[in-house]
Amino acid sequence: MPIDSTLPLLPVRIAVLTVSDTRGPADDRSGDTLVARLTAAGHVLADRAIERDDADLIVARLHAWIADPTVDCVISTGGTGVTGRDVTPEAFARVWEKEIPGFGELFRWLSFRTIGTSTVQSRACAGVARGTYLFALPGSTGAVKDGWDGILQDQLDSRHRPCNFVELMPRLTER
């Protein structure tokens, strides 16, 4: 889709959350991949954290970032599978006010081209809470690349046409 280069880029302040019982700062390749892509696109890394696969911890982290006026958007990586410890979608659903179902649908469609039918195991999802976008991606670097390169890179670019998530930000809290 086209980028209108006559318009200025409005940087989005993005918090990155890695959900994992096994990864730490030294081996968080998916988080590193996401940070590299969002900063290369001209956005601001507002914060970064790693939380265990624990819904209450994830919810608490999301609430803190949603309440923080320096965070416009949260992108998580990990915890979107179907095992017993994968609770990211459930945690996000406890927080968001509106789900964005098309995000998960489009993610799985894009991912199908990369990993075939294995994409059915992904529960990537998105929503909006009190004016903050929330996007949950699977924990592999390939999934982060699919999600960022195929969806978020354009939708978080204020110059993307015909429309984008950024232009809606001022209206997310209207009643």
Side-chain angles (χ1 to χ4, degrees), residues 15-49:
V16 172
L17 174 63
T18 297
V19 178
S20 177
D21 286 337
T22 59
R23 293 186 193 158
D27 61 353
D28 180 16
R29 293 183 341 150
S30 295
D32 291 343
T33 298
L34 187 52
V35 169
R37 278 174 155 64
L38 73 89
T39 55
H43 299 297
V44 176
L45 177 63
D47 202 359
R48 183 174 177 181

Side-chain angles (χ1 to χ4, degrees), residues 44-173:
V44 176
L45 177 63
D47 202 359
R48 183 174 177 181
I50 298 175
E51 294 290 355
R52 292 191 330 265
D53 290 280
D54 178 305
D56 291 335
L57 294 175
I58 297 165
V59 165
R61 176 69 65 178
L62 292 175
H63 278 305
W65 280 339
I66 291 163
D68 185 341
T70 68
V71 176
D72 300 316
C73 174
V74 176
I75 306 174
S76 74
T77 174
T80 62
V82 296
T83 71
R85 297 289 298 154
D86 292 321
V87 296
T88 301
E90 289 78 11
F92 274 51
R94 284 171 47 187
V95 173
W96 68 44
E97 296 151 351
K98 291 188 178 187
E99 182 180 10
I100 306 171
F103 177 82
E105 295 161 0
L106 180 55
F107 173 82
R108 283 180 284 281
W109 180 78
L110 292 168
S111 178
F112 179 78
R113 299 183 316 192
T114 306
I115 64 170
T117 59
S118 295
T119 193
V120 76
Q121 296 178 29
S122 165
R123 296 185 305 138
C125 60
V128 179
R130 297 189 317 269
T132 302
Y133 285 113
L134 307 172
F135 301 100
L137 296 171
S140 72
T141 56
V144 167
K145 291 173 185 175
D146 285 345
W148 180 265
D149 298 351
I151 306 169
L152 294 172
Q153 172 178 262
D154 288 336
Q155 282 300 297
L156 294 177
D157 190 323
S158 57
R159 304 165 301 170
H160 182 263
R161 296 292 170 251
C163 56
N164 59 76
F165 283 135
V166 179
E167 65 192 18
L168 299 176
M169 290 170 81
R171 299 180 49 212
L172 293 177
T173 58

